[in-house]
Structure formats: C-alpha cells, structure tokens
Amino acid sequence: MIFWIAAAALALVTTGLFALALMRRSEDEEHPAAYDLQVYRDQLKEVDKDQARGVIAAEDATRMKTEISRRILAADAQMQNAETGETAGGRKTVAVAFVLALVVFGSSFGLYYKLGAPGYRDMPLQDRAAEAQLRRENRDSQSVAETKVPPRPAVDAGEEFLELMTKLRAAVADNPNDLQGQELLARNEANLGNMPAAYAAQAKVIEIKGTDVTAGDYVLHANLLISAAGDYVSPEAEQSLKKALELDPFNNLGRYYMGLMMWQTGRPDATFRIWDQVLRQSPNDAPWVPSIRNTITELAWYAGVDYKMPAPVPTHSPDGLSGPSAEDMQAAGELDVEDRQAMIQGMVDQLSDRLATEGGTPQEWARLIGAYGVMGNTERAQVIWDEAQQVFANVPEALEVVRAGAAQAGLE
C-alpha cells in the first residue's frame, strides 16, 4: 500500500508541475496594447503642450488629436478582446492540464502493469535470504531432478568397447569390493553417458576407501550427480561437496559447485563471494574459470560490488603455483653462486609483485615466505607473513597453510 501511495503522490506532483507551467503567467508580462495606450496618452499631452506654446496651429492640433484618439480606441478594443481571450484560454489550459493528468497517471500505471510486478510483496534483504534458505531446503532431490532431464543421445562406443563393458560390469558384480574395478566402472559408465550407474560406482569407491577417501573422490561423486541432473546441484550432490570441502577447504572445483548451488537457490550474492575467491586462486587453464569469468560481473551486481575482473593467474610450475618450487631450488643448486642467486631472486620478485597487486592462493603466499627464508632474507619474509595474516584473517584454514611457510622460514 505504501508503494501505491508513493507512486500516486509522485504522479500527482509531476502533473501539478506541468499544469503550473501551462497556467502560470509572468507578473511583469503585459499585453502590447497596454504599452500603446500609454504612448498615445503621452502623445495627446505633447500635442496640448505644443499648441499652448504656439508650435502647431489649432487646426493641426485638432486633426492630430483626432487621429491619436482613434488609435487609443483601437488599442482599448484590443485590450478588451485580450481579457475575453484570457478567460477562454484559461478554461482551455485547465482542460489541457486535466488531459495531461490522465495521460501521466494512465501511462505510469500502464507501464508498471506491463513491466512491473503488481501485487508483489515487499522483499527486504532478510526476507530474501530466508526465502532462499527455504528454497534450498525444499528443492528437488536427485531422483526428481533426473526425471526432468531430456534423454541423452546414445554414445557410439563401438562393439568391442561395449563387449568389454559387459565383462567389466559382470566382474564388478561378482566382486563388488574391488576398488580398481569400481573406479574403472565409474569412469567408463560416465564416458558412455550412464550417469546413474557412474555415480553409483563412485559411491562404492568412496565406501571401499573408508578413511583413505580423498576430497577428489567426493568431488567426482558430486560431479557425476550434477551431470546426471542436467547441471543441477541436488541435496545429495551438496552432501558430497560438503564432505570434500571438509577434507580440502581449498578444492576449487568443489567450491565452484557450491557457488553454483547458491545461485540456483536464490543467493547470487553468495555465489559471487565464493567464485571471486575461486577465480583468484585458480590457474587460468582450470575448466571452471571461463564459466566464472562469463558470469561474475553479473553476480557482482547482485552483491552490490563495483567489480574489477582480476588478471588471469598464470601457471609457472608443475604444481600449478607461481614462484620457485622445491625442484627449482634444487636445480638452482647446480649453478654457480651468482647465477643461482639471480635465478631464485627473479622468480621470487615476480611472485612477490603479483601477490601484492593481484593476490593469490594461500599456497603461493606460503611458498613466497619459505623462499625468502631459504634465501636468508628473514626480514622480508616477516613482512610478507605479517601481510598474509591480514589478508587471510577471516579464513583460518588458509592462514594455517601460510603459517606452514612461515614455519619453514623460521618465523613460527
């Protein structure tokens, strides 16, 4: 109701301003005939003065007064007509203002009915978050979601491969606790597009591994579930993702899917916060990076952030991290002192500059601190460690990773 009152008030004010512009007349504005009357009266006075001084004859004065009087009568007639016209014009102005009011009100509410959401209730931020949570808790299960996915086209795998798959399925059925068999089955069922069979086999892999299960095992299980549901993150997939992130909080694929789930349940702002970190901590060739780059600007708008796309994170070492790795340090040991120092210093400076301007993963911060420690530059290592504690103050898991680098440099 408050919205409609406010909308009506704004429309009324707008209409009133238009009407005033039409009806208002400047106080200083006068009809041209009024000016002429004043001039003619002054001319009559001048004629009387000239006649009294003997400048003009009586006959000429009479003739001039007659002409001036005729002009006065004509100007007065114009004034009378103007007053009558103003009354009629005023009525016309009121009529135009009324029509204008109808146009403003009608077009405003018509546009809102067409483009707006009549009857939609107020949605404060708290209510939106609560509604998103309710939607998340009551969303479709994996089995329901799969029924909504169009049939997949058959994969042309060849007769020989299909015969091998028949044998593999039979072998796994006879020995269901065969870890290698279940891993092969999960991978090859996925290649054939048999996603339910693939994620069932991967679930068995997780069961067989027990305490040796890895974050990657859970992420693979979630990935298969999501593929089977047409890129929809079901509650079952979410459970696998949570278990993966408990084992490895920095698993970027797991975090990417968690962000996707938040988007699907009405929290694009939360998706932005997750994906922003994933983008900054993923090498540019990671398969999820293009998807994030294509949508994160839109997500930033929902989060109310004026977003600047970060530069791509390069991959300079076999483990996907920038800076000198253990292998780099070992290779540098084979050089003479000056060359070794120059090689290491160049890699360290490059990493230091990038972390200072673009940020990076906790592992890269730890590597930089450790590298300074190996070089004997403990003062610089301490500066980087102090900065890292501020950067990751709200992410305890990340801070522990960086702390390991500080310990390697002898700072902890």
Side-chain angles (χ1 to χ4, degrees), residues 18-306:
F18 278 120
L20 284 174
L22 289 172
M23 299 175 67
R24 184 177 57 191
R25 182 171 182 172
S26 174
E27 293 180 358
D28 298 331
E29 184 181 354
E30 62 180 0
H31 195 279
Y35 176 77
D36 292 343
L37 280 173
Q38 185 62 42
V39 172
Y40 297 151
R41 291 190 182 105
D42 291 340
Q43 287 178 347
L44 282 176
K45 293 177 183 178
E46 292 296 326
V47 170
D48 289 337
K49 290 179 181 179
D50 290 344
Q51 184 181 3
R53 291 198 305 268
V55 175
I56 56 176
E59 296 81 2
D60 293 333
T62 301
R63 181 176 53 79
M64 293 174 66
K65 288 180 180 179
T66 302
E67 178 62 24
I68 293 172
S69 298
R70 185 186 65 76
R71 294 180 181 181
I72 289 176
L73 290 174
D76 186 64
Q78 289 182 15
M79 289 288 293
Q80 295 295 329
N81 292 335
E83 291 177 1
T84 305
E86 276 188 16
T87 303
R91 289 196 293 268
K92 290 181 180 178
T93 302
V94 172
V96 170
F98 179 73
V99 172
L100 183 62
L102 292 178
V103 171
V104 171
F105 274 85
S107 60
S108 299
F109 288 97
L111 282 173
Y112 179 74
Y113 181 80
K114 180 71 174 177
L115 303 176
Y120 199 74
R121 63 186 180 86
D122 291 341
M123 287 290 288
L125 189 58
Q126 261 188 332
D127 290 351
R128 295 183 189 183
E131 186 172 302
Q133 180 63 28
L134 188 64
R135 188 185 310 169
R136 177 179 173 182
E137 293 171 354
N138 295 281
R139 68 190 191 276
D140 289 343
S141 65
Q142 181 70 27
S143 58
V144 172
E146 288 182 24
T147 63
K148 300 178 180 180
V149 178
R152 298 173 182 272
V155 177
D156 185 10
E159 292 184 7
E160 185 177 354
F161 180 77
L162 294 177
E163 289 178 4
L164 290 173
M165 279 299 298
T166 301
K167 294 178 181 179
L168 176 60
R169 290 168 183 151
V172 171
D174 292 338
N175 188 9
N177 292 321
D178 178 12
L179 177 59
Q180 185 177 11
Q182 293 287 2
E183 289 176 336
L184 285 172
L185 186 62
R187 183 165 61 250
N188 287 290
E189 291 288 15
N191 291 336
L192 288 173
N194 299 327
M195 293 304 170
Y199 66 67
Q202 183 61 24
K204 190 64 179 177
V205 169
I206 293 172
E207 179 186 335
I208 295 170
K209 282 192 172 183
T211 56
D212 295 328
V213 69
T214 66
D217 294 324
Y218 280 115
V219 170
L220 177 56
H221 183 243
N223 189 17
L224 295 170
L225 288 166
I226 293 167
S227 297
D231 293 331
Y232 164 72
V233 185
S234 66
E236 292 85 347
E238 181 186 357
Q239 288 303 312
S240 286
L241 292 172
K242 285 181 176 179
K243 291 176 181 177
L245 295 176
E246 287 175 3
L247 295 173
D248 179 12
F250 301 105
N251 186 290
N252 283 324
L253 181 56
R255 291 195 291 167
Y256 167 76
Y257 278 135
M258 287 298 286
L260 180 62
M261 183 271 297
M262 297 301 291
W263 193 0
Q264 292 174 349
T265 54
R267 290 298 306 273
D269 57 319
T271 303
F272 166 75
R273 289 190 290 271
I274 296 171
W275 281 7
D276 178 48
Q277 291 298 313
V278 172
L279 183 60
R280 295 178 186 277
Q281 298 174 11
S282 299
N284 197 46
D285 56 354
W288 51 85
V289 166
S291 176
I292 293 178
R293 285 189 173 275
N294 287 338
T295 54
I296 196 165
T297 303
E298 177 187 350
L299 295 171
W301 182 85
Y302 285 106
V305 176
D306 185 10

